[in-house]
Amino acid sequence: MKQHTAAPTIRFDAALQTIDKWTLLRLPERASRKLPSRGQVAVQGTINGHEFQTVLEPDGNFGHWMRVERKLLEAAALNADDSATIAIESVKDWPEPNVPHDLQTALAAAPQKIQDIWKEITPMARWEWVRWVNATQDPDTRERRVEVSISKMKSGKRRPCCFNLASCTDPNLSRSGRLIEPA
């Protein structure tokens, strides 16, 4: 996980939250302000001393949040609603996104030109495509977005367009582009 970065380490304490079935950590406003973007930001860091690397998501209110996976919760001995000590720094090298099955299938079936574009674009650009496809619960809209992704890449586009990069796009966790409050 060690990467060279010129970014300063941002340290803070925050309480974990549960929204839907996910455990999240919302960054305090003062921590988010220190990040280089209001949109997604690749970071590495520690939570209660346990290393992680992730991409922070925007919350739609000029802040950020991250999903804390079960493996990290267990390693850091954390439960929902616990407080944690976090240290993060933004990194230049983005991890690869988890490409959803429908988009992965469409890319595999696409002409070589499109597959080459997918390989040539940056991981950050691949995150944007994945984020745009995932930003709906409607199956018809999602299917159309996969089709449009392939079509746009066929015409040479390297990034999706027409969505606010600073909004929260997870349809299970947001309303009107803003991260919902925990129940």
Side-chain angles (χ1 to χ4, degrees), residues 73-156:
L73 286 170
E74 290 171 0
L78 290 167
N79 294 303
D81 301 322
D82 284 349
S83 285
T85 299
I86 296 91
I88 58 170
E89 55 190 35
S90 61
V91 294
K92 179 184 170 198
D93 298 325
W94 283 54
E96 285 296 327
N98 292 324
V99 181
H101 182 72
D102 50 357
L103 180 57
Q104 200 171 44
T105 300
L107 288 164
Q112 189 62 46
K113 173 186 174 185
I114 295 167
Q115 293 177 32
D116 290 345
I117 287 174
W118 184 258
K119 290 175 189 169
E120 291 168 6
I121 62 176
T122 65
M124 181 181 185
R126 288 190 285 272
W127 273 89
E128 288 179 15
W129 285 109
V130 167
R131 190 169 179 236
W132 183 63
V133 167
N134 283 339
T136 182
Q137 287 183 320
D138 182 275
D140 293 332
T141 301
R142 184 183 178 97
E143 182 179 342
R144 178 78 181 124
R145 286 186 182 181
V146 169
E147 292 169 1
V148 168
S149 296
I150 299 302
S151 175
K152 285 184 176 203
M153 284 185 251
K154 185 177 181 180
S155 70

Side-chain angles (χ1 to χ4, degrees), residues 60-73:
N61 292 310
F62 305 108
H64 296 84
W65 62 277
M66 66 179 260
R67 185 172 285 140
V68 185
E69 302 294 341
R70 181 178 314 275
K71 184 177 176 182
L72 184 55
L73 286 170

Side-chain angles (χ1 to χ4, degrees), residues 158-179:
R158 301 174 77 80
R159 282 196 149 85
C161 71
C162 310
F163 75 103
N164 179 353
L165 294 174
S167 69
C168 183
T169 59
D170 187 315
N172 297 307
L173 304 175
S174 67
R175 299 290 177 270
S176 301
R178 296 179 191 276
L179 183 66

Side-chain angles (χ1 to χ4, degrees), residues 12-18 23-28 79-86:
F12 57 94
D13 290 329
L16 300 176
Q17 303 174 336
T18 302
T23 301
L24 309 177
L25 186 140
R26 189 185 303 243
L27 277 66
N79 294 303
D81 301 322
D82 284 349
S83 285
T85 299
I86 296 91

